[in-house]
Amino acid sequence: MNPRNSLLPRRAAGWLLGLLMLFVGLNAAAQQDPPGRVGRLNFQQGTVSVSPAGDDNWYRADPNRPLTSGDRLWTDRNSRAEIYVGSTAVRLDEQTAVTLSELDDETLRITATQGDLQMRVRDELAGQRIEIGTANLATVIDGPGDYRIDTDPAAGTTRVAIAAGSAMLFGENGESMPLGARQQLTVSGRNLAEVSGAPPRGAGDFDRWVAERDRLDDQSISARYVSRDVLGYQQLDAYGDWQNDPTYGDVWYPRDVDAGWAPYQYGQWVEIVPWGWTWIDAAPWGFAPMHYGRWAHIGRRWGWVPGRPHAHPVYAPALVGFVGGGVAGANIAISGGRQGIGWFPLAPGEAWRPGYRASQRYVDAANRAALGPHMPSRNVAFANRQTPGAITLVPMDAFGRGPVGRRDVVQVPHDRLVGVPVGMGAPIPLRGGMGEQRGGFGRPVAPPPAAIQAAQQHQLQQALQVQQAQQLQRQQTEMQQRATAQAMQAQVQQMQQAQRQQLETQQRAAAQAVQAQQLQQAQRQQQEVQQRAAAQALQAQQAQQIQQAQRAQAQAQERAAAQAMQAQRQQQEAQQRAAAQAAQAQQAQPLQLQRQQMEAQQRAAAQAMQAQQLQLQRQQMEMQQRAAQAQAQQMQQLQQQQQQAAMRAQQQQAQQQQAMRQSQEARQRGMGRPGQDQGQPDKP
């Protein structure tokens, strides 16, 4: 095992567990579910006969009888046939014998004994296998395209021509050869030995007939409303009309039916393996509406509601509910002391449950395709049971004995049928057993040549041997799958246990990380609060210092003003004294002397005033310088305090980052330990 993949993520474990459940579900479904698809004789020209599986007799083919694994077909002289399996068309030219060796949901294997066969594969195969075998080789189709296989048992040759698409040819001993578009090959023997000089196949009547069938199919109106995998949709174009209903959406209405006609009224019940009782309708258009979708009574007419146009359809033997015949212990008495059994079509929105054993997956798939988006909600179960004339009632001893006609239908008052219990499966035991195909055939016809029948029987036995070998291989594969599933389950359990341990470790580490993040967030918040408080304190301190400086400057200015006023008072007093002295001198001296004295006094007073003003100016300048120096010192102190606060914040942030690294390393050590030892306990 790759050590890198020993411990897968949760999505991988879920995928493995889902794959395990898928294996179990597929195995269970494969053991009990019938195929979800069949074949249908879509068109015939001339005499086309069929020999059903388990029956050596030959009958004229009935288009509405489904074709299944083991059925053989033969086109007589001047006859042709067109078979559809899903959207794949198989065309047979005259005097062509084929066997449906295997037909189910995944495989279509046709064995061509003689004649010319053309196959048109319309859709991607998506895991399906289409194989055409002859006495010389096996052709495995790779994808959509047009393929032609002509086999000539008299010459011992097979020609394969591909107009479009690609295929792989296989010989008896494992030889293989690819063949592509616009290529053809003719071989003899069973080892892909090419026939030299084989003439190329030219266009003939059969090719022109095939081209016309393709053209008609491409122009089908009903293909716009239903999936091309719904068998029999081509016949709806010529026998009915499509209309849109506000309740049900697209609805198909049949034309030219009786006034009292109801679905599943004219036809017959036959036993077909593995479904049991199967309805074979008498109308040429009666395949698709009787095996897919639902019927609704709209106004005075019956209309077929096909369901989801893009969903993959699942074939059902009959989509009806049964009354009488002992269903839920209920019987319906009719004339002559006999008991009757009746059936009616299921309505849109009503789920179908088969009367045979099937898985829920099969039932869900069948109903999912039939129950489309336009389905009304109903307050009454089985709405069509309430509709007069919807229930077809026949004597119990006539059920499954032949075609049901107008004379076979028993008329009883409708109110006697309204409350009768309903069952999904016919309460009539299968008369021939599930191993036989009984009834529903056309009249007997002459068989193909004995050599053709012998070759078909031989090829069918070979195909059965191949199927048995494949079944044995499937059983071995299933056993291997179960063993693998058990091993995968044990591995998933181990992985889930390891994942739980890893998840617990991750949760613990995540919790530690959350705690560390919360601690970091709290520290960041605390740091931001501290920074805001420091900034506010710094701003308050700066404002206080500025206010102090402003107060000191105002005080200095007040002192200077007081000194100036004192000096002015002193000057005024000196002037007054000088004026008084001058007045006294004037009285004692002559006028000239007085003028000289007054001028001298004025000059002295002016000089004294100048000296005082200079002294005041010097004092004011000194006070301003001291205030500026004090303010500068305060600003330097504030800057230093801011730098110290920033350094402290950086130190705190570094400490927090170191704590985060330590927490991450612890978490990584906790997460890395389970991956290193791959779920083993720690070594001491």
Side-chain angles (χ1 to χ4, degrees):
M1 181 182 293
N2 189 348
R4 295 166 53 188
N5 296 333
S6 60
L7 186 60
L8 298 176
R10 297 180 66 185
R11 289 186 178 179
W15 178 81
L16 287 174
L17 185 60
L19 186 61
L20 171 64
M21 299 305 294
L22 178 62
F23 283 154
V24 175
L26 288 178
N27 291 336
Q31 295 173 3
Q32 59 183 352
D33 289 341
R37 67 173 183 172
V38 296
R40 180 179 186 269
L41 182 61
N42 196 64
F43 180 83
Q44 57 181 321
Q45 174 181 308
T47 301
V48 178
S49 54
V50 60
S51 177
D55 192 338
D56 293 333
N57 298 316
W58 289 83
Y59 307 90
R60 182 179 292 276
D62 185 341
N64 287 336
R65 192 183 194 281
L67 300 174
T68 63
S69 297
D71 290 351
R72 294 176 293 166
L73 290 97
W74 164 256
T75 56
D76 210 340
R77 188 181 299 274
N78 299 322
S79 302
R80 287 174 180 148
E82 178 182 72
I83 303 169
Y84 265 84
V85 178
S87 62
T88 298
V90 181
R91 280 71 177 253
L92 309 179
D93 199 5
E94 63 175 352
Q95 294 184 311
T96 298
V98 298
T99 302
L100 300 181
S101 303
E102 187 175 0
L103 173 55
D104 55 29
D105 294 340
E106 291 80 24
T107 304
L108 170 59
R109 181 178 287 113
I110 299 176
T111 301
T113 306
Q114 171 182 307
D116 299 341
L117 176 152
Q118 188 271 346
M119 176 177 288
R120 184 189 189 188
V121 180
R122 180 181 289 274
D123 298 328
E124 295 290 342
L125 299 183
Q128 297 182 3
R129 180 182 179 89
I130 298 180
E131 178 181 330
I132 304 172
T134 69
N136 303 102
L137 52 79
T139 303
V140 177
I141 306 299
D142 290 337
D146 293 327
Y147 305 88
R148 174 79 175 266
I149 291 90
D150 303 336
T151 180
D152 186 354
T157 61
T158 296
R159 174 181 293 174
V160 180
I162 301 178
S166 62
M168 183 68 71
L169 311 183
F170 293 92
E172 184 180 32
N173 296 320
E175 301 89 351
S176 62
M177 178 183 300
L179 203 64
R182 299 181 181 178
Q183 292 182 337
Q184 61 178 339
L185 179 71
T186 302
V187 300
S188 64
R190 309 182 70 172
N191 304 110
L192 300 185
E194 183 176 3
V195 176
S196 60
R201 181 178 61 83
D205 292 339
F206 180 60
D207 296 301
R208 287 187 287 271
W209 178 76
V210 167
E212 177 63 15
R213 297 302 303 170
D214 285 340
R215 185 188 67 82
L216 293 175
D217 187 41
D218 293 337
Q219 295 178 355
S220 173
I221 298 175
S222 297
R224 306 172 189 173
Y225 303 96
V226 300
S227 169
R228 287 187 180 272
D229 288 326
V230 173
L231 296 181
Y233 70 87
Q234 297 91 339
Q235 280 68 37
L236 303 179
D237 296 340
Y239 294 97
D241 303 288
W242 288 93
Q243 297 181 16
N244 186 269
D245 183 81
T247 302
Y248 302 105
D250 294 323
V251 178
W252 181 81
Y253 295 93
R255 294 194 298 261
D256 301 329
V257 293
D258 296 339
W261 175 87
Y264 300 96
Q265 192 175 67
Y266 302 137
Q268 60 179 317
W269 292 99
V270 299
E271 303 174 32
I272 299 180
V273 176
W275 299 274
W277 290 117
T278 301
W279 176 257
I280 309 298
D281 203 80
W285 48 264
F287 195 93
M290 304 304 170
H291 301 289
Y292 309 93
R294 300 288 189 271
W295 282 91
H297 195 260
I298 305 173
R300 296 183 178 180
R301 297 190 297 173
W302 286 97
W304 179 59
V305 182
R308 300 179 184 273
H310 302 295
H312 182 70
V314 175
Y315 166 83
L319 297 161
V320 300
F322 287 94
V323 296
V327 173
N331 291 307
I332 301 175
I334 58 177
S335 60
R338 295 187 297 174
Q339 299 294 326
I341 180 173
W343 56 90
F344 61 90
L346 295 179
E350 295 177 353
W352 167 73
R353 186 81 190 181
Y356 47 85
R357 183 182 179 187
S359 69
Q360 188 62 41
R361 182 183 65 88
Y362 171 87
V363 177
D364 291 342
N367 287 312
R368 183 167 52 251
L371 303 180
H374 301 284
M375 295 297 150
S377 59
R378 300 186 181 278
N379 299 323
V380 179
F382 303 113
N384 288 336
R385 181 183 55 173
Q386 316 300 322
T387 303
I391 298 178
T392 300
L393 187 67
V394 299
M396 287 185 59
D397 54 7
F399 185 92
R401 298 293 185 180
V404 177
R406 185 188 299 271
R407 295 178 302 176
D408 302 298
V409 177
V410 178
Q411 301 294 333
V412 298
H414 177 67
D415 55 1
R416 291 180 53 191
L417 304 176
V418 171
V420 177
V422 176
M424 291 295 178
I428 307 299
L430 296 172
R431 299 185 176 91
M434 290 298 291
E436 301 181 15
Q437 309 276 12
R438 294 176 56 86
F441 311 127
R443 62 179 178 82
V445 295
I452 298 298
Q453 295 188 64
Q456 280 187 320
Q457 290 288 358
H458 178 67
Q459 291 176 343
L460 183 58
Q461 291 177 358
Q462 289 182 336
L464 291 175
Q465 292 176 357
V466 171
Q467 291 180 18
Q468 292 174 356
Q470 290 178 347
Q471 184 177 3
L472 179 61
Q473 185 177 4
R474 282 196 297 268
Q475 292 175 352
Q476 294 176 350
T477 303
E478 290 172 1
M479 294 176 61
Q480 294 175 355
Q481 288 176 350
R482 284 194 293 269
T484 303
Q486 293 175 355
M488 290 171 60
Q489 187 176 8
Q491 184 179 3
V492 167
Q493 291 176 352
Q494 294 176 357
M495 291 166 51
Q496 289 177 346
Q497 184 177 3
Q499 287 171 0
R500 284 194 296 271
Q501 295 175 354
Q502 182 180 3
L503 181 60
E504 292 174 356
T505 303
Q506 291 176 352
Q507 289 176 349
R508 287 194 297 269
Q512 293 175 357
V514 170
Q515 292 177 356
Q517 291 177 357
Q518 292 176 351
L519 178 60
Q520 293 173 2
Q521 185 176 2
Q523 290 174 350
R524 284 196 299 270
Q525 293 176 353
Q526 183 179 5
Q527 182 181 358
E528 292 174 356
V529 171
Q530 292 175 353
Q531 290 176 355
R532 286 196 297 270
Q536 292 175 357
L538 184 60
Q539 291 176 358
Q541 187 176 4
Q542 289 177 352
Q544 185 178 5
Q545 291 175 355
I546 292 173
Q547 290 176 359
Q548 290 177 357
Q550 289 176 352
R551 284 197 298 270
Q553 184 177 2
Q555 291 174 1
Q557 290 176 355
E558 288 176 357
R559 286 194 297 272
Q563 291 175 0
M565 291 176 64
Q566 185 177 3
Q568 287 178 359
R569 284 196 300 271
Q570 291 175 358
Q571 182 180 1
Q572 289 177 359
E573 290 175 356
Q575 289 176 357
Q576 289 176 0
R577 285 193 299 271
Q581 291 175 2
Q584 292 175 1
Q586 287 177 0
Q587 293 177 2
Q589 295 177 0
L591 293 174
Q592 184 177 3
L593 182 60
Q594 291 178 356
R595 283 194 299 272
Q596 293 177 354
Q597 188 177 1
M598 290 177 66
E599 290 176 358
Q601 291 176 355
Q602 291 176 353
R603 284 194 298 274
Q607 291 175 357
M609 289 290 293
Q610 290 178 356
Q612 290 177 358
Q613 289 178 355
L614 289 173
Q615 184 178 0
L616 288 173
Q617 290 177 357
R618 283 195 300 273
Q619 291 177 354
Q620 290 178 354
M621 291 177 63
E622 290 174 357
M623 291 176 65
Q624 290 177 354
Q625 289 176 356
R626 285 195 297 272
Q629 290 175 358
Q631 187 173 3
Q633 291 176 358
Q634 292 175 356
M635 293 298 294
Q636 290 177 357
Q637 291 177 357
L638 290 174
Q639 291 177 355
Q640 290 175 358
Q641 292 175 357
Q642 290 178 350
Q643 291 176 356
Q644 292 175 358
M647 291 175 64
R648 286 196 298 272
Q650 292 177 356
Q651 291 176 357
Q652 291 178 356
Q653 186 173 4
Q655 292 175 357
Q656 293 173 358
Q657 292 178 352
Q658 184 176 3
M660 290 174 60
R661 286 195 299 273
Q662 292 176 354
S663 176
Q664 291 177 355
E665 290 174 358
R667 183 171 68 256
Q668 291 175 355
R669 288 194 296 272
M671 293 175 62
R673 186 174 296 111
Q676 294 174 359
D677 58 11
Q678 301 178 5
Q680 300 297 329
D682 295 341
K683 294 182 179 180

